[in-house]
Amino acid sequence: MIRILAVATALSLCAACSPSETPSVETSETAVVLSYTDAFVMEPIGGRDMTMGGVSLSVEGGNVTLLSAESDAFGAMELHTMAMVDDRMQMRKVDSFEISAGETLELKRGGNHLMMFDVSEDVVSGESVDITLTFDASGTEQTLVIEADVRAVGE
């Protein structure tokens, strides 16, 4: 009888400590994986204190919204769109960019991009800068720190 009671107690302790077989909704919604390639910042032209940058951002496991970008190398950063209207380039600040699961957002020259203001003197070709991107992933804030290469004009 004692042996049966000991086995029953041991089994109930194991069951209480084992992980749930069914993941909760919160776990599946926050299992978003962000990745990036080709992160760059253009070296400012002729002493200007503003420049642009880009990156390819991919997401798996859920949809996300890119909300902001910041870096110690810049006084301010904005998310921008670029479109040609009547043969003129028009850049506009936007609040966010949506990225669907399995998709890639391309921030690049001649298209959607990052705009940087009050550029540090340390932003020179051949160096790199860290940029922190903030996302909303189904109501959960997520950040991704990217290392962007500083490129000279023409690179």
Side-chain angles (χ1 to χ4, degrees):
M1 179 73 161
I2 293 174
R3 191 175 280 175
I4 294 172
L5 186 56
V7 171
T9 302
L11 288 174
S12 61
L13 284 174
C14 288
C17 295
S18 65
S20 170
E21 291 181 28
T22 308
S24 69
V25 174
E26 287 181 15
T27 302
S28 64
E29 285 181 358
T30 57
V32 172
V33 177
L34 298 162
S35 60
Y36 76 98
T37 59
D38 197 33
F40 71 93
V41 171
M42 297 307 300
E43 182 177 35
I45 300 171
R48 292 188 178 176
D49 69 343
M50 59 188 253
T51 192
M52 63 80 58
V55 62
S56 294
L57 297 167
S58 299
V59 61
E60 295 295 332
N63 301 335
V64 298
T65 304
L66 174 59
L67 300 173
S68 65
E70 62 182 24
S71 173
D72 292 340
F74 311 103
M77 292 182 71
E78 296 176 354
L79 308 176
H80 274 222
T81 61
M82 195 291 287
M84 294 301 288
V85 178
D86 297 326
D87 293 326
R88 298 182 75 181
M89 180 174 44
Q90 291 187 348
M91 290 189 291
R92 300 280 186 255
K93 177 183 175 187
V94 294
D95 292 329
S96 62
F97 288 114
E98 302 288 326
I99 312 172
S100 298
E103 298 291 321
T104 299
L105 171 66
E106 298 282 338
L107 299 178
K108 60 186 180 180
R109 289 184 262 194
N112 297 334
H113 60 278
L114 299 171
M115 197 72 198
M116 293 93 165
F117 303 93
D118 300 322
V119 179
S120 165
E121 293 176 4
D122 298 335
V123 178
V124 294
S125 178
E127 297 295 322
S128 64
V129 296
D130 287 341
I131 299 172
T132 301
L133 304 175
T134 301
F135 299 85
D136 176 359
S138 299
T140 302
E141 186 176 287
Q142 250 185 297
T143 59
L144 175 65
V145 178
I146 64 173
E147 183 178 349
D149 297 326
V150 179
R151 297 180 183 167
V153 175
E155 284 186 56

